[in-house]
Amino acid sequence: DFGGITMNAYKNIAVRAAERAGNFVAKAFANRDRIIAQSKGPNDYVSNIDKQAEEIIIDTIKYSYPDHAILAEESGQHGEGDTVWVIDPIDGTTNFLQGIPHFAISIAVKQKGKTLAAVVYDPIKDECFTASNGGGAQLNNTRIRVSEKKRLDNSLLATGFPFRGHQDLEEYLRYFETIFPLCVDMRRAGAASLDLAYVAAGRLDGFWEFGLSEWDTAAGILIIKEAGGFVGDIKGNPHQEKSKSILAATPGVFKHVMKSVKDL
Ligand code: 2AM
Ligand code: CA
Ligand code: CA
Ligand code: CA
């Protein structure tokens, strides 16, 4: 059908853009010298490599779809229209700058608010997580699914800390204090798009964080949903672009986290 063909074309272009940018970023990561970091705000950094990777991605998209709109972390909104490509050129910049090989390129294609295709590409491990709406989720073209975990006491979760400032730390810690003792352990790897992709692949059983932006989560959310997982805000309400928090997990783990935090 026409819709499916279009969706696959979007996915293919998204993968091409992510791989091009990923190769560029991986090369820069290996030759550490030409990386220039800048501060965007408290504990928030960007580098020339993030900006150049973003240009590579936008050029690749514009070549095939000159009329589509773009929302990119470092250069903002380009154009308007029903179809929007949501781009995070390096998710995990702090890891990238510190020499920690854990970061990804994240790209989602949205039409009238609905995500049709998504890619999260880790160029160091050469792992490409993809999904299309109704077409399932894949890791390097092999189908992935969330884990079978149904309880918290045998589940490994991931989280992200509120690094931007300490005004949110108290609230975050109340949730941490509630959830952490109930699960096996908690990871903080520093790239939200990969946390989401790892839940989709069954490597993690759930993930929660506060204060993320659309470019951090848009691709990962489709990949998890297509892998059979649930996504919402931390209380289990439907996740929206402006949601303050995100919770993504296997269906069973999602319900247990939701229940455990309902009175916070
Ligand atoms: P970024 O690298 O694209 O900015 C996880 O906490 C998310 O927050 C990451 O996906 C990361 O996206 C963003 N982030 C920004 N600054 C961070 C920091 N100092 N520590 C951890 N994450 C940070
Ligand atoms: Ca950033
Ligand atoms: Ca990000
Ligand atoms: Ca980024």
Side-chain angles (χ1 to χ4, degrees):
D1 69 306
F2 177 74
I5 291 169
T6 306
M7 214 142 57
N8 265 322
Y10 292 170
K11 191 170 94 173
N12 291 339
I13 297 299
V15 168
R16 183 180 305 166
E19 287 180 347
R20 276 190 187 157
N23 292 339
F24 169 77
V25 172
K27 219 173 272 168
F29 184 75
N31 309 319
R32 308 231 34 98
D33 43 313
R34 280 197 205 88
I35 303 172
I36 304 157
Q38 259 186 318
S39 174
K40 296 211 288 187
N43 306 329
D44 195 1
Y45 299 93
V46 64
S47 77
N48 56 326
I49 308 301
D50 298 62
K51 291 177 182 168
Q52 287 173 58
E54 188 163 295
E55 281 170 24
I56 293 169
I57 295 164
I58 293 172
D59 287 349
T60 306
I61 295 163
K62 288 271 169 205
Y63 183 83
S64 297
Y65 301 107
D67 301 331
H68 287 180
I70 282 167
L71 173 65
E73 181 182 4
E74 308 306 344
S75 61
Q77 180 126 11
H78 306 239
E80 276 183 50
D82 283 348
T83 312
V84 186
W85 293 65
V86 181
I87 301 165
D88 191 337
I90 303 180
D91 182 45
T93 294
T94 302
N95 284 345
F96 173 78
L97 292 173
Q98 294 283 130
I100 299 171
H102 191 76
F103 45 82
I105 288 82
S106 174
I107 304 173
V109 191
K110 296 182 77 168
Q111 205 157 63
K112 296 182 180 164
K114 188 171 174 170
T115 308
L116 299 182
V119 56
V120 173
Y121 179 53
D122 174 342
I124 302 298
K125 301 172 198 78
D126 195 24
E127 288 188 325
C128 191
F129 300 87
T130 53
S132 58
N133 184 22
Q138 302 83 26
L139 165 53
N140 294 345
N141 296 316
T142 300
R143 193 69 185 252
I144 51 173
R145 282 200 59 81
V146 296
S147 81
E148 298 286 334
K149 301 285 172 61
K150 291 178 180 61
R151 306 193 315 267
L152 279 174
D153 62 7
N154 63 353
S155 284
L156 182 66
L157 306 195
T159 185
F161 302 138
F163 59 87
R164 266 187 198 86
H166 295 274
Q167 68 278 19
D168 299 327
L169 187 58
E170 256 181 62
E171 186 186 12
Y172 175 84
L173 289 174
R174 276 192 284 124
Y175 283 84
F176 189 88
E177 242 183 347
T178 304
I179 301 166
F180 177 66
L182 300 175
C183 62
V184 169
D185 199 354
M186 200 86 81
R187 295 287 174 267
R188 197 291 190 252
S193 63
L194 285 175
D195 291 325
L196 292 165
Y198 281 21
V199 173
R203 294 173 178 176
L204 294 167
D205 307 305
F207 166 67
W208 62 283
E209 184 163 349
F210 288 80
L212 292 173
S213 302
E214 200 186 346
W215 43 78
D216 300 310
T217 57
I221 287 173
L222 181 67
I223 296 172
I224 292 202
K225 285 183 179 165
E226 289 293 328
F230 282 11
V231 181
D233 71 10
I234 189 78
K235 297 272 189 181
N237 302 309
H239 186 266
Q240 277 154 0
E241 273 149 42
K242 291 190 178 65
S243 292
K244 209 179 144 225
S245 60
I246 187 168
L247 168 63
T250 73
V253 168
F254 187 91
K255 284 176 203 153
H256 283 293
V257 173
M258 217 178 112
K259 238 183 264 165
S260 74
V261 302
K262 89 177 171 327
D263 295 325
L264 290 183

